[in-house]
Amino acid sequence: MIRDQAQAWATEQAPVAAFRRMRDAGVANRFEPATWESMVEMGWTGILVPETYGGSDLGYLTFGVVLEQLGRQLTASPLYASALVGASAVLLGGSDAQKEALLPKVVDGSEILTLAVDEGPRHTPGTMATAAEADGDGYRITGRKAQVLEGMSATAFIVAANGPNGIGLFLVPADASGVSRTALSTVDNRGYAHVDLVDVRVGGDAHLGDADVLEAVLDRARAGLGAEMLGVASQAFDMTLDYLKTREQFGRVIGSFQALGHRAADLYSQMELARSCAEAALMAVDAGAEDTAELCSLSKAKVGDFLHEMSNQLIQIHGGIGMTDEFDAGLYLKRARALEPLWGNQAFHRDRYARLLGF
Amino acid sequence: MSDALEAFRAEARAWVEENFPPSLAGKGMGMEGELDGDTKADFELWRARLGEKGWGAPTWPQEYGGAGLSHPQAKVVSEEISRVGGLNPIPALAGMGITMVGPTLLEYGTDDQKARHLPATARGEVRWCLGLSEPNAGSDLASLATKAEDKGDYFQLNGQKIWTSGADISHWCGALVRTDPSAPKHKGISFVMLPMDQEGVETRPIRLISGASPFCETFFNDARAEKSDLLGDLNDGWSVVKRLLQHERQSQTSAGSPMASAKSKAIQDVAKEYAGTDDSGALADGDLRSRLVNHLMDARSHSLTVRRITAEAKGQVKVSAAASILKNSATRISQTKSELTLEIMGAQGLGWEGAEFTAEEKNTVREWLWGKAISIYGGSFEVQKNIISKNILGLPETTQKG
Ligand SMILES: Cc1cc2nc3c(=O)[nH]c(=O)nc-3n(C[C@H](O)[C@H](O)[C@H](O)COP(=O)(O)OP(=O)(O)OC[C@H]3O[C@@H](n4cnc5c(N)ncnc54)[C@H](O)[C@@H]3O)c2cc1C
Ligand SMILES: Cc1cc2nc3c(=O)[nH]c(=O)nc-3n(C[C@H](O)[C@H](O)[C@H](O)COP(=O)(O)OP(=O)(O)OC[C@H]3O[C@@H](n4cnc5c(N)ncnc54)[C@H](O)[C@@H]3O)c2cc1C
């Protein structure tokens, strides 16, 4: 049901053509406020949030269904950063008071949360320079967070920093004194920012849990992203298959050349396998399964591999047309490369999977 | 898992514990089912008990020697047998009988054919081979030339089959023959069943690169197949065999080892043993480690896919187009696993015979060689891709014309 709703809405209200218009118009924060408002109205911001805080508590698999459809159209919004990643941090690390204060606002869209972990060009969640020193009844945070998703539109950052108990998560309002941000212009035209924190003072109630919470939040972020990436790749596959059936050269459709038919068969098979991984990760999160970490790495790596290959083949099989900015293929390729490294690229997750399996 | 299935598991467990001869625990049966004297009697007893219980072919109807179980129940049975370190020997003893001929007979056979052939097959007493391929009809099976002439109440067969697995030890053969040479090539073919123990049938074993000889050349010289053993309609053998091959593909979708072995060590543990680890416990050979983890991820995504497709089919494992995807993926995983294991074992992985090599090492070499066949038989790797691109993706076909 929600799949149909998400699919219809995304293709009609927020299609890739809208993303392109937004890109060309140079909209601030890199998403259309009206798109975001509709998502809030449809209740998607509350998919993970318990009913007591105004949400629908439908779980990660359902969120994945929505993200997949949004991925298909490259729809841009802070939905994922705030209502999946941010809400997960509050749900896993927050006290009742913090949940009460934050979750209803995540649901009504007045609060946009985002997770700020990495400090350089690579994902290294185990090491960071940002420090949160105890300061009276609160903390004083200093450091720089790189490439923060929705960094310009966020109303609060969930900052990973070395605190008194090792790595911890701290809620930092975007308008707190000592916070500044720099918008980035990236190839995929999404809204990232570098965030600088200089002696930012937050209260004791800003603490949202420690390293174990960060790890669990990251796995939820990876599982959700796997669904979005699967959507981007599935659309790329559909566009390619369509082209194989319509483009004619040498007097017949190019899909009749076995080299291309076999490539399409390989890509389809890879897609089916990747889908199983993406769904398994989301279901494991919902079920609190013991092998959740393994499955989340599996999903990020296998969907990542497929998206990588598929986005390249999208261009290749479209020939000259694929190289033109006017055609959408380039938008998919660019989004693909931006999502692959987020929360760890394929190599990161292969290494992690091996460690989880004890070698 | 449902309560009913759990209750069934308890029953199955109790039965296995009571009936499985402990002397067989952990014993494989080798590729040709050879066993030494002591275990032979227990093995025969175990086979007979399983056969009587209908667990040789658990999903077949009871009246035809099965136990009328659902697929999830059948899975429970095999899990419970594995749990005690046992094997169900009947599918191997029946040759192509349980996985391919039986399911096709259930769909296309007359009541008389089902009653005559299925029960003994389900007990593992009748071994079947399949005479499909010919020297000039491999992937392009429909170009086969073996002739079957109508002689009143029987067909007289003349021609040659090749790569017939188990032909020299089988009791019955399902053969694809040309019954109408004047019809277009897919239209003049019929599927007949004939006993192997007759004058007009001769088999010559062929030795494989792995050293074993599991298959033969099979010659028909005025061989006799009764009319009552024509499966499906006359000249409609192509439909029958297409279905049969789908069942074959289906039976090859699990990425396990092609040889039945009750328990084996995880490949990452074998790697640690042979290639060593660094201070952090990671495999010392970083390149091997990344290829190994990639392989394990592929294997995991394969089993998750089997599970997802089964769940989406609501527990009914349907013979579907998805089987081509799964067959190729299982093939790739199993061949990669063999290649990796061989590489991990280094020089020890080259052992052919003798006491300087462990049984696992020698087995690895033979399994590696044998495994090359998986991408050839049952519709080759390339033929499966043709099927995916045509039947699932709807791309125009440029091969298999005629
Ligand atoms: C940056 C750029 C600069 C260019 N500059 C020039 C220029 O200066 N002058 C000029 O004349 N042209 C130029 N071209 C055009 C270029 O030569 C064509 O793009 C090229 O010939 C491919 O044709 P196509 O784009 O129509 O793709 P198509 O021929 O439609 O091919 C689409 C896909 O089908 C595949 N395919 C096609 N036929 C077969 C087959 N028989 N078997 C298997 N696969 C097949 C192709 O490999 C491709 O992946 C340029 C192209 C680009 C991208
Ligand atoms: C271990 C083993 C057991 C077997 N058991 C039996 C058995 O019990 N009964 C039986 O009847 N047969 C059996 N076979 C035979 C098997 O079914 C055939 O080997 C298979 O059908 C391939 O035929 P071929 O060997 O003639 O190869 P060919 O069909 O000649 O193929 C040669 C190569 O060309 C490729 N090729 C062929 N057609 C195409 C196409 N259209 N597009 C792209 N590539 C193509 C193939 O993929 C292959 O790589 C067995 C084979 C093996 C290896």
Side-chain angles (χ1 to χ4, degrees):
Chain A
M1 230 259 303
I2 197 155
R3 180 188 306 272
D4 297 342
Q5 180 203 27
Q7 186 183 19
W9 180 83
T11 48
E12 286 157 26
Q13 307 296 317
V16 63
F19 176 73
R20 174 185 292 281
R21 273 199 305 279
M22 189 273 293
R23 177 196 75 164
D24 294 345
V27 170
N29 297 338
R30 314 276 185 190
F31 65 86
E32 290 287 357
T35 303
W36 173 229
E37 280 159 26
S38 313
M39 290 182 178
V40 172
E41 262 166 47
M42 289 184 290
W44 292 350
T45 42
I47 291 176
L48 298 183
V49 176
E51 289 172 22
T52 38
Y53 304 116
S56 53
D57 202 7
L58 293 169
Y60 287 85
L61 187 61
T62 303
F63 213 132
V65 165
V66 171
L67 288 172
E68 184 185 340
Q69 296 305 325
L70 299 178
R72 278 181 166 272
Q73 299 300 330
L74 306 182
T75 308
S77 81
L79 180 72
Y80 166 75
S82 183
L84 190 143
V85 187
S88 292
V90 177
L91 285 165
L92 290 167
S95 64
D96 286 348
Q98 286 167 322
K99 290 180 190 167
E100 183 68 56
L102 290 165
L103 292 176
K105 291 184 179 168
V106 168
V107 176
D108 72 18
S110 58
E111 192 83 77
I112 295 178
L113 304 179
T114 190
L115 182 67
V117 179
D118 292 321
E119 304 184 345
R122 320 246 330 155
H123 182 56
T124 54
T127 42
M128 51 192 65
T130 301
E133 284 169 35
D135 178 32
D137 59 351
Y139 305 89
R140 187 174 293 278
I141 304 175
T142 297
R144 170 167 238 233
K145 292 295 172 183
Q147 199 108 358
V148 175
L149 195 58
E150 315 302 342
M152 294 309 288
S153 60
T155 57
F157 300 104
I158 297 166
V159 176
N162 291 306
N165 320 318
I167 291 176
L169 293 175
F170 301 87
L171 185 78
V172 178
D175 59 5
S177 158
V179 175
S180 61
R181 42 189 163 181
T182 312
L184 304 178
S185 171
T186 52
V187 69
D188 62 328
N189 279 92
R190 290 286 289 109
Y192 307 91
H194 286 330
V195 178
D196 285 290
L197 306 142
V198 181
D199 280 335
V200 180
R201 164 85 196 146
V202 293
D205 61 356
H207 183 226
L208 275 176
D210 294 317
D212 54 331
V213 174
L214 172 60
E215 183 86 350
V217 172
L218 282 173
D219 271 333
R220 282 151 181 76
R222 290 159 182 152
L225 195 59
E228 179 171 341
M229 288 163 68
L230 184 68
V232 176
S234 305
Q235 185 68 17
F237 179 85
D238 289 354
M239 290 160 72
T240 304
L241 183 61
D242 200 44
Y243 199 66
L244 286 169
K245 290 178 180 177
T246 47
R247 169 69 172 168
E248 289 188 18
Q249 286 290 281
F250 303 99
R252 45 194 179 134
V253 293
I254 58 172
S256 66
F257 302 123
Q258 198 179 48
L260 299 187
H262 279 193
R263 204 176 302 162
D266 283 341
L267 291 166
Y268 181 78
S269 305
Q270 233 185 312
M271 178 161 73
E272 284 295 300
L273 292 160
R275 172 173 298 282
S276 310
C277 298
E279 289 186 8
L282 293 161
M283 291 192 291
V285 170
D286 279 332
E290 236 168 69
D291 54 359
T292 300
E294 278 168 39
L295 289 168
C296 290
S297 277
L298 180 74
S299 165
K300 192 69 192 4
K302 294 316 285 183
V303 179
D305 279 344
F306 171 54
L307 176 59
H308 189 93
E309 177 68 9
M310 189 62 239
S311 57
N312 284 334
Q313 290 303 334
L314 171 66
I315 306 284
Q316 174 61 22
I317 293 178
H318 278 85
I321 299 279
M323 288 296 293
T324 61
D325 184 63
E326 199 184 325
F327 187 63
D328 291 332
L331 300 177
Y332 284 83
L333 177 70
K334 292 168 185 174
R335 177 71 66 87
R337 284 311 171 282
L339 297 183
E340 282 175 45
L342 189 55
W343 318 129
N345 63 10
Q346 291 87 298
F348 176 95
H349 287 288
R350 276 195 276 270
D351 175 66
R352 181 170 183 249
Y353 192 80
R355 273 188 290 110
L356 289 167
L357 260 59
F359 70 104
Chain B
M1 187 161 295
S2 75
D3 291 349
L5 203 55
E6 276 311 308
F8 177 77
R9 183 183 296 280
E11 266 175 54
R13 181 166 300 182
W15 188 89
V16 168
E17 276 168 4
E18 192 167 321
N19 290 283
F20 177 68
S23 67
L24 298 178
K27 290 238 165 47
M29 53 182 289
M31 268 177 48
E32 272 124 49
E34 67 275 321
L35 280 171
D36 56 36
D38 289 350
T39 39
K40 215 168 178 144
D42 278 348
F43 187 80
E44 178 48 31
L45 180 71
W46 174 230
R47 182 206 60 74
R49 285 176 176 168
L50 281 170
E52 207 174 303
K53 182 83 176 159
W55 283 3
T59 60
W60 294 4
Q62 272 169 331
E63 58 174 322
Y64 298 128
L69 300 186
S70 66
H71 284 279
Q73 285 175 321
K75 192 158 166 275
V76 165
V77 167
S78 69
E79 284 164 2
E80 288 305 316
I81 293 174
S82 306
R83 206 183 62 88
V84 298
L87 277 181
N88 182 347
I90 292 178
L93 289 172
M96 309 285 174
I98 304 287
T99 48
M100 300 168 65
V101 177
T104 314
L105 253 167
L106 280 169
E107 284 175 58
Y108 285 88
T110 61
D111 289 345
D112 163 62
Q113 288 172 337
K114 290 190 260 192
R116 278 190 295 120
H117 294 297
L118 293 177
T121 304
R123 288 194 300 271
E125 289 164 6
V126 169
R127 184 190 288 265
W128 286 82
C129 63
L130 280 172
L132 311 177
S133 307
E134 298 181 3
N136 291 316
S139 299
D140 183 13
L141 184 58
S143 60
L144 61 92
T146 295
K147 259 192 330 198
E149 270 177 277
D150 190 335
K151 293 283 179 183
D153 39 349
Y154 70 98
F155 294 105
Q156 192 174 60
L157 275 53
N158 280 289
Q160 186 198 339
K161 296 291 175 182
I162 194 167
W163 322 128
T164 326
S165 297
D168 50 340
I169 49 172
S170 289
H171 309 99
W172 278 78
C173 177
L176 208 55
V177 294
R178 190 156 300 284
T179 37
D180 183 356
S182 61
K185 76 176 184 184
H186 291 90
K187 300 274 166 63
I189 293 172
S190 301
F191 191 100
V192 295
M193 301 177 282
L194 67 157
M196 292 295 281
D197 184 16
Q198 58 169 301
E199 213 160 284
V201 177
E202 190 196 333
T203 60
R204 287 187 208 148
I206 304 171
R207 204 167 134 101
L208 293 189
I209 52 175
S210 58
S213 329
F215 61 25
C216 300
E217 290 178 285
T218 304
F219 299 89
F220 297 133
N221 289 308
D222 292 342
R224 183 181 167 122
E226 299 303 325
K227 281 261 174 84
S228 59
D229 280 321
L230 171 70
L231 184 59
D233 293 337
L234 186 67
N235 295 325
D236 193 32
W238 193 247
S239 322
V240 179
V241 80
K242 270 204 313 204
R243 196 71 185 143
L244 183 108
L245 292 174
Q246 283 180 338
H247 285 296
E248 172 174 45
R249 227 170 282 140
Q250 192 77 32
S251 72
Q252 290 165 356
T253 53
S254 85
S257 133
M259 277 192 246
S261 63
K263 275 195 192 100
S264 61
K265 215 186 272 175
I267 188 170
Q268 63 267 35
D269 294 332
V270 179
K272 282 188 189 165
E273 199 177 294
Y274 283 81
T277 53
D278 65 16
D279 296 341
S280 73
L283 265 187
D285 180 340
D287 181 63
L288 172 65
R289 179 174 183 260
S290 68
R291 284 180 292 121
L292 186 55
V293 69
N294 215 23
H295 160 69
L296 290 169
M297 284 186 156
D298 283 342
R300 187 85 169 263
S301 63
H302 177 85
S303 59
L304 289 170
T305 304
V306 172
R307 201 173 77 184
R308 177 167 69 85
I309 288 176
T310 312
E312 283 170 8
K314 302 238 157 35
Q316 280 303 308
V317 189
K318 276 210 286 277
V319 175
S320 65
S324 291
I325 295 175
L326 294 176
K327 193 212 163 195
N328 271 5
S329 140
T331 297
R332 206 163 39 82
I333 290 162
S334 142
Q335 292 180 342
T336 304
K337 184 177 181 186
S338 284
E339 290 288 357
L340 284 169
T341 311
L342 201 71
E343 177 186 339
I344 286 166
M345 290 179 169
Q348 285 301 110
L350 301 174
W352 187 252
E353 282 170 347
E356 289 75 22
F357 302 98
T358 67
E360 284 96 62
E361 288 164 351
K362 285 179 286 193
N363 202 31
T364 294
V365 165
R366 286 165 195 262
E367 206 166 309
W368 161 66
L369 290 166
W370 162 255
K372 299 299 172 200
I374 325 170
S375 49
I376 299 171
Y377 64 60
S380 72
F381 203 67
E382 290 76 21
V383 165
Q384 302 299 341
K385 289 193 199 184
N386 289 345
I387 294 174
I388 297 168
S389 75
K390 175 181 167 234
N391 293 355
I392 303 183
L393 302 180
L395 292 171
E397 78 164 334
T398 51
T399 57
Q400 299 168 9
K401 284 262 158 64

